Amino acid sequence: MRAQLARIDAVLVQALIAAALSFAHLHDVASAAGQDGWKAWAYPISVDLLLVAAWRRLRNGDAKAAGWCWFVIALTASLGANVATAGLLDLDQVPAWLRILVAGWPAVAFLGGTLLAHSTPAPHEDTEGQEDASDPAPELPTQLVPVPTPAPPAVAVPAALVEHARKVAAEHRNRTGAAIDTPTLRARLGVPAPMADAIVAQL
């Protein structure tokens, strides 16, 4: 247990030392680029927070492409400041391109932090649940029950009309020698087709 605590303490001390050195280098570069006062101290905080946000996104396992993108950007800013303070860059005469990068960093850090903090992670879908949902229980075939067709309502025919129809039918038989058909009877009487059928059935 003590050995484990000692190993953890050593790692924490090493991480604190590295963070303090990187913090100081970022401050020196920002100060040399014209960001004096509290602004020079805000730059290393911005870079380190972006690194932490990108690392948390990578550990969550969601949107790894965005996490790696912003992690590389923040790491490049931190590593670039460390290299710039190693004597390769004259901090008394900072080039214009470095001033532009330092001045534009807050907008970049704000965009990256907002995207990393507020992007919605993709929900983990249950594969077994999807398989169960995609295979519904087979439906039993339903038997079609024939619906009886209702019989047409009976047409009431007046007796006088039936007598008149018999006379017309007898006249037609005497003239043509054949029984009168329904269309002819209908045309002679001027009645609807259902009534004509009912009259023929009573002749």
Side-chain angles (χ1 to χ4, degrees), residues 23-199:
F23 195 91
H25 292 161
L26 285 166
H27 169 268
D28 294 343
V29 172
S31 179
Q35 306 297 326
D36 53 353
W38 65 270
K39 293 182 289 185
W41 294 106
Y43 273 85
I45 297 175
S46 174
V47 173
D48 291 343
L49 287 180
L50 186 59
L51 272 172
V52 173
W55 177 248
R56 288 189 60 184
R57 176 53 58 90
L58 290 176
R59 292 194 63 182
N60 289 339
D62 299 323
K64 287 188 176 181
W68 275 115
C69 177
W70 292 107
F71 183 81
V72 170
I73 292 175
L75 183 62
T76 302
S78 179
L79 184 60
N82 295 332
V83 173
T85 57
L88 300 179
L89 183 66
D90 187 4
L91 297 181
D92 294 331
Q93 295 180 354
V94 178
W97 61 267
L98 182 56
R99 293 178 181 271
I100 294 175
L101 290 179
V102 172
W105 172 257
V108 176
F110 177 78
L111 176 62
T114 302
L115 293 178
L116 290 174
H118 295 286
S119 59
T120 304
H124 296 284
E125 298 179 355
D126 188 4
T127 306
E128 295 181 357
Q130 286 185 348
E131 292 180 356
D132 295 339
S134 61
D135 297 334
E139 297 181 357
L140 297 177
T142 56
Q143 295 181 353
L144 298 178
V145 180
V147 179
T149 304
V155 179
V157 182
L161 183 60
V162 174
E163 291 298 330
H164 179 64
R166 287 174 181 171
K167 294 179 181 179
V168 173
E171 180 185 355
H172 181 78
R173 180 183 295 274
N174 294 333
R175 188 176 67 254
T176 62
I180 191 171
D181 53 0
T182 302
T184 304
L185 180 63
R186 177 187 174 191
R188 294 284 302 274
L189 298 178
V191 295
M195 183 173 291
D197 294 335
I199 294 174

